[in-house]
Amino acid sequence: MTPYDFIQTWGPRGSRDGENELQGAQAYFLDLCELLQVPKPGTPGITESADHYIFEKLTLALGQQRGFADVFYKGHFAWENKAPGKNLDTALKQLLGYSLALENPPLLVVCDRHTIRIHTQFNGLPKVTNFNRTADFADPAQRSYMAG
């Protein structure tokens, strides 16, 4: 997937821009992995256990309610997807409710397919939020930052 293809598919007014959360979330993430040339959830041999990097990680939220982290990579991040234009602060609150049960991943990521917000959660360090726009992924520096 080229940056141009990714932006034309997932950016504002892209070919899949009108999809709801359920329709677009996993396909967006898989295309993002391909664009960034990083492993995808479920890649054999990437982790010691099949449930360490997966879609729809079943977890408990505060108050013993069940919920799902849309993407979970143990020890790395938890990711919550929303449809374009939805409130990412609400998505972050949802992830914060899951974070204890997910062993406090160091990164909490919320995404509406136009914007990816990365919230750091490293112990003993200030919290930082990074904003990344899908429309900016044509920039190699932006892609390099996202790939880690």
Side-chain angles (χ1 to χ4, degrees):
M1 165 137 321
T2 69
Y4 177 79
D5 292 336
F6 188 82
I7 294 165
Q8 291 301 308
T9 301
W10 298 110
R13 295 173 301 287
S15 62
R16 296 189 69 178
D17 186 42
E19 293 181 2
N20 66 31
E21 178 182 339
L22 183 62
Q23 292 169 323
Q26 289 184 14
Y28 174 90
F29 193 85
L30 292 170
D31 283 354
L32 181 62
C33 290
E34 186 174 321
L35 173 69
L36 300 176
Q37 299 178 351
V38 298
K40 298 174 182 176
T43 301
I46 185 169
T47 62
E48 58 275 6
S49 170
D51 70 343
H52 282 199
Y53 186 26
I54 63 170
F55 288 114
E56 300 299 325
K57 171 70 173 170
L58 178 62
T59 188
L60 292 176
L62 293 175
Q64 301 302 308
Q65 294 176 305
R66 294 205 177 275
F68 293 90
D70 290 332
V71 186
F72 175 69
Y73 191 172
K74 186 175 181 171
H76 296 267
F77 64 83
W79 181 295
E80 182 61 32
N81 290 297
K82 295 296 175 199
K86 296 295 181 182
N87 189 322
L88 293 181
D89 290 333
T90 301
L92 180 60
K93 287 178 188 175
Q94 188 176 344
L95 271 183
L96 286 167
Y98 299 154
S99 64
L100 287 175
L102 295 173
E103 301 176 27
N104 292 315
L107 301 175
L108 298 179
V109 184
V110 293
C111 173
D112 72 356
R113 298 196 306 263
H114 292 175
T115 302
I116 300 170
R117 284 187 359 203
I118 302 169
H119 300 266
T120 64
Q121 297 279 94
F122 295 102
N123 290 333
L125 295 174
K127 308 298 185 225
V128 176
T129 302
N130 295 294
F131 293 83
N132 307 279
R133 286 191 288 279
T134 295
D136 295 337
F137 286 162
D139 179 359
Q142 185 73 17
R143 291 192 312 277
S144 178
Y145 170 78
M146 284 295 297

